[in-house]
Amino acid sequence: MPDAAAVPQRVRRRLFIYNSGFLTQRRLRRILQLAGYSINVGLPSQHSAVAVWGDANTAHRGKYVARQRNVPLVRIEDAFLRSLFPGRAGGPPLGLLIDHSGLHFDPSTVSDLERLLLDNPLDDPVLLRRAAGGIARIAEAQLSKYTAFAVAPPPELPDRFVLVVDQTQNDASIRASGANRQSFRDMLTAAKRAFPDLPIVIKGHPETARGYRPGHFDASDADARVIFLKTAVSPHALFPRSAAIYTVSSQLGFEAILAGLRPHVFGQPFYAGWGLSKDADALARRQRLLTKEQLFAAAMILYPTWYDPYQDRLCRFEEAVEALAAQTRAWREDHQGWVASGMRLWKRKPLQQFFGAFKAVTFQDDDPASAQKSQRKWMVWAGKATTRHRGAVRVEDGFLRSRGLGATLVPALSLVCDDLGIYYDPTTPSRLEAWIAHRAEMRPDQEERANALIMALRVGAISKYNLPSRGTPLTTSDAGKRILVPGQVEDDASIRLGTGTVATNEALLRHVRAENPEAVIFYKPHPDVEAGLRNGHCEAFDIADQILHKANPAEVLEQVDEVWTMTSLMGFEALLRGVRVVTLGTPFYAGWGLTTDLGSVPARRTARPSLAGLVHATLIDYPRYRDPVTGLPCPVEVIVHRLAEGHVTWPGLGNRLLSKLQGVLASQAHLWRG
């Protein structure tokens, strides 16, 4: 249940507006509608209210009507995590602050947020645990109100400095604090006096950097000690270098508190006065001492109304932050543009949709050296990479791929981008390996998310391809241990690079039978092989007790005791379902203490993550996902929901015919090589 979604019945009412933005901004109207409000024009009646946008230039109209008609005033503002870009750049908000008492940045009244901070106990352990996780997640993903910024500071910045935060002129929070241009000059002077031996870095507002509104500092404030930070940079990259932070009322002061700093505050923003900042003009009524977790719980969990853009509903803070994190990751990785090499023609449109939202992908196969020298980033399909592609990011399908086979030209819902190697090649390190090792230690919120994902995959019977089950069910014999042996495409790169003496489906089956003579062995051919699209046919009748043609792997895994495999992803899917896994090759999930490994595993795999850690690295950290319904970058949970609900299209007739032709050509090429 969303934290701020349940609007009390007494405030579920008609809102009358006198600002055209309420009519033209679709996302704004939708969030209000979902929160129980309706937007109206005209004059309000006794049982309605007037809505105004913050303290904007048009707010005086609504205030006047509310006074004349003696009806309540509802003040609406963007939430503290808003979007990739400022509203003036067209970014829709991820949430709203709907306040029935005042404005969070106006100390002349007690807002709903301040009332929470004054009166709410803010002592619920679950709430505070969520707050701690939220603080850590925002820092990890380097999020702020607007997130289209570089994550690394420019090289010309010194290692240690005093950060002074500029804001836009005529900002309502500055007026509400009684501050002005002179307040900013006084703040700069105070910073110089307090830290005479350190340089001063002035950080501008994102809207100033984009040229929408001027700030308070200009060339007249420059001297030998002052550095103007002109590029959009993550606050989280600046905090570790900041000896002190000075602000009038910027949200960056709040973010500094979350980072463990005590900002010098020269205005009266919502986060001042609670013992977490050094206040030049403290409010007498704010005497309570809070922790940063309590401040966060009120301001980010209880106060805002958050929106889920994928399912068009209100949601909890955690869902909203993952939506922003997914969209931010896509912008940071894609906004410079990509040159893509080794991409088949049918993949190019899906890849353009995945990576070309901010700058179109350029496909170039002929001259890798030219691609490497371009100003764009460079990617290559992992299976097509050669020594000529040194320095390119390897791209491959993700582990929750689609509802249908890649060999039938069904586009992927998830892709992985690996700047170190690729997950199926154990001969070199990969970015997935680094993530798995990193997740050997997990925060409670990360453990909770990964475990919830495991449960959702099991309940939804989700696997890589999610094909309908049309095969014969497993026999019910209790004669012995039930072992599943998944067949693989025998010329697959994971077989070529990650196996030893056991490198064919027949060899695998014979090894399993020799080691388990009394077991009931089920052999499941690979769906690409069954469809006649790839190599790996195996006559298993004399080895296996039952061949599971076209069986749903998620259903089968719930009915077996063990999985024996070379490198199949079904070994990973078996781990999710608590099934023992024995590996004879070197899949990405082997060597971490979660499987019984009969093949060789890299000595570098020394970390011992939990199953939740392996899942977090493999399904949350490593891949990128694209929602097939909205077209937006999304978190993994959205893809799991789409697959479980069947909201994914199947390939058309043209794709199926082309895939059959591709399979015929592949078979002929194999025979020719033989």
Side-chain angles (χ1 to χ4, degrees):
M1 181 70 180
D3 300 290
V7 180
Q9 193 63 38
R10 62 184 178 83
V11 298
R12 287 181 179 268
R13 60 184 71 187
R14 302 167 70 201
L15 297 179
F16 285 80
I17 52 93
Y18 306 95
N19 177 343
S20 62
F22 284 97
L23 299 176
T24 59
Q25 296 184 40
R26 181 179 177 183
R27 177 70 63 81
L28 170 60
R29 295 198 316 274
R30 183 57 177 156
I31 296 175
L32 288 171
Q33 180 186 32
L34 290 169
Y37 301 95
S38 64
I39 299 297
N40 302 269
V41 295
L43 292 176
S45 61
Q46 180 181 358
H47 298 293
S48 58
V50 170
V52 296
W53 185 261
D55 197 23
N57 294 334
T58 57
H60 69 277
R61 305 171 193 165
K63 293 178 182 178
Y64 174 79
V65 173
R67 286 195 302 269
Q68 294 298 311
R69 305 290 290 188
N70 194 29
V71 297
L73 190 67
V74 178
R75 297 162 179 87
I76 300 170
E77 267 279 355
D78 289 325
F80 300 122
L81 291 177
R82 188 193 186 280
S83 52
L84 272 173
F85 309 108
R88 285 177 171 80
L94 191 62
L96 295 176
L97 307 177
I98 305 172
D99 202 305
H100 296 265
S101 304
L103 286 165
H104 69 84
F105 56 74
D106 185 355
S108 67
T109 59
V110 178
S111 67
D112 289 348
L113 174 55
E114 186 173 353
R115 184 60 59 199
L116 282 170
L117 294 168
L118 286 169
D119 298 336
N120 191 296
L122 299 174
D123 60 357
D124 178 67
V126 175
L127 176 65
L128 296 180
R129 188 164 59 249
R130 290 177 61 195
I135 292 170
R137 180 60 178 138
I138 285 175
E140 179 183 50
Q142 300 212 39
L143 303 180
S144 185
K145 187 170 186 177
Y146 314 115
T147 59
F149 47 64
V151 296
E156 62 268 20
L157 277 189
D159 292 335
R160 196 69 172 160
F161 51 78
V162 175
L163 186 64
V164 174
V165 185
D166 197 5
Q167 295 175 247
T168 57
Q169 292 182 21
N170 299 316
D171 185 85
S173 71
I174 297 172
R175 295 197 307 271
S177 292
N180 51 34
R181 157 77 165 146
Q182 188 57 47
S183 304
F184 282 81
R185 286 182 168 174
D186 293 342
M187 179 174 67
L188 179 58
T189 299
K192 289 180 176 179
R193 288 176 178 172
F195 296 90
D197 299 324
L198 287 178
I200 307 293
V201 173
I202 296 179
K203 183 185 183 302
H205 190 277
E207 291 191 355
T208 301
R210 287 178 167 267
Y212 296 130
R213 291 194 287 175
H216 290 83
F217 295 115
D218 55 34
S220 65
D221 300 297
D223 60 30
R225 292 181 59 199
V226 172
I227 301 169
F228 283 89
L229 182 57
K230 297 180 180 179
T231 55
V233 176
S234 167
H236 303 280
L238 301 176
F239 292 150
R241 299 190 186 190
S242 300
I245 295 176
Y246 284 74
T247 182
V248 171
S249 57
S250 169
Q251 182 180 312
L252 195 141
F254 171 54
E255 294 168 356
I257 290 173
L258 303 183
L261 305 174
R262 288 190 68 197
H264 297 257
V265 180
F266 283 69
Q268 295 178 324
F270 74 89
Y271 54 83
W274 312 106
L276 297 169
S277 55
K278 299 176 182 179
D279 306 319
D281 187 17
L283 278 168
R285 67 175 181 266
R286 297 183 184 174
Q287 296 294 320
R288 188 180 183 187
L289 298 180
L290 299 174
T291 65
K292 66 180 182 180
E293 289 79 12
Q294 290 174 311
L295 179 65
F296 185 94
M300 300 295 275
I301 296 177
L302 300 179
Y303 184 46
T305 299
W306 296 108
Y307 176 72
D308 176 355
Y310 309 106
Q311 299 187 57
D312 187 32
R313 61 179 176 84
L314 299 185
C315 64
R316 288 158 48 102
F317 161 79
E318 289 83 356
E319 295 167 290
V321 78
E322 293 307 331
L324 184 58
Q327 294 172 36
T328 299
R329 176 181 177 181
W331 180 86
R332 289 175 184 163
E333 294 183 4
D334 300 345
H335 76 280
Q336 292 176 314
W338 288 95
V339 172
S341 300
M343 307 298 179
R344 289 182 177 176
L345 288 177
W346 76 268
K347 291 180 179 178
R348 295 189 178 188
K349 181 179 178 181
L351 287 167
Q352 193 70 259
Q353 294 172 329
F354 230 103
F355 298 109
F358 304 101
K359 186 177 289 187
V361 177
T362 298
F363 295 96
Q364 185 179 63
D365 291 329
D366 298 333
D367 188 3
S370 174
Q372 195 170 23
K373 292 176 183 177
S374 74
Q375 297 299 310
R376 292 164 171 259
K377 299 168 73 175
W378 185 26
M379 66 168 64
V380 62
W381 194 259
K384 301 293 185 180
T386 68
T387 54
R388 298 171 67 214
H389 298 96
R390 187 174 289 108
V393 171
R394 267 89 172 145
V395 178
E396 249 293 353
D397 291 336
F399 308 111
L400 300 176
R401 189 195 181 281
S402 53
R403 186 173 283 272
L405 300 174
T408 58
L409 312 191
V410 180
L413 302 175
S414 67
L415 293 169
V416 301
C417 299
D418 201 309
D419 59 329
L420 297 179
I422 192 64
Y423 70 87
Y424 57 70
D425 183 0
T427 64
T428 60
S430 70
R431 180 57 59 187
L432 177 55
E433 275 192 357
W435 273 118
I436 294 172
H438 183 67
R439 293 306 181 197
E441 295 184 7
M442 296 256 283
R443 302 190 307 266
D445 61 295
Q446 294 170 326
E447 290 271 1
E448 183 178 345
R449 184 184 180 193
N451 285 325
L453 177 58
I454 293 170
M455 182 59 65
L457 292 169
R458 293 191 64 169
V459 171
I462 304 300
S463 62
K464 182 173 183 177
Y465 297 116
N466 303 287
L467 298 168
S469 180
R470 302 191 182 109
T472 305
L474 271 68
T475 55
T476 57
S477 170
D478 294 324
K481 182 168 56 178
R482 299 157 72 87
I483 297 177
L484 173 65
V485 178
Q488 294 185 242
V489 175
E490 291 182 353
D491 58 358
D492 187 76
S494 71
I495 299 293
R496 290 188 287 105
L497 298 169
T499 58
T501 56
V502 177
T504 66
N505 293 320
E506 182 178 346
L508 173 63
L509 274 166
R510 294 197 181 282
H511 185 93
V512 175
R513 174 56 74 195
E515 294 292 322
N516 302 274
E518 303 301 322
V520 179
I521 296 178
F522 303 96
Y523 176 65
K524 184 189 179 307
H526 191 281
D528 280 348
V529 176
E530 282 192 300
L533 302 173
R534 300 289 297 276
N535 301 314
H537 178 71
C538 173
E539 293 291 346
F541 298 102
D542 63 330
I543 311 171
D545 295 285
Q546 185 180 0
I547 300 176
L548 305 176
H549 292 291
K550 297 182 179 180
N552 185 325
E555 296 175 2
V556 172
L557 288 170
E558 297 287 353
Q559 304 175 60
V560 298
D561 303 306
E562 296 180 4
V563 168
W564 287 55
T565 181
M566 292 180 287
T567 62
S568 171
L569 183 65
M570 283 191 68
F572 173 69
E573 295 173 345
L575 290 175
L576 304 185
R577 291 158 174 86
V579 177
R580 178 175 180 255
V581 175
V582 180
T583 66
L584 283 83
T586 316
F588 70 87
Y589 52 84
W592 307 103
L594 299 170
T595 54
T596 300
D597 303 317
L598 303 184
S600 62
V601 294
R604 63 182 177 268
R605 296 184 184 179
T606 58
R608 289 294 176 262
S610 64
L611 176 61
L614 177 68
V615 170
H616 201 291
T618 305
L619 298 180
I620 296 175
D621 298 311
Y622 189 48
R624 278 176 50 177
Y625 299 90
R626 180 179 179 271
D627 178 19
V629 176
T630 65
L632 293 171
C634 66
V636 60
E637 290 84 359
V638 173
I639 295 302
V640 172
H641 174 76
R642 299 296 190 215
L643 291 171
E645 296 297 318
H647 296 159
V648 180
T649 57
W650 288 85
L653 176 61
N655 268 33
R656 293 196 295 272
L657 292 175
L658 186 57
S659 70
K660 289 292 185 183
L661 176 61
Q662 177 179 287
V664 170
L665 294 175
S667 298
Q668 289 180 345
H670 178 68
L671 292 173
W672 180 261
R673 288 193 301 269

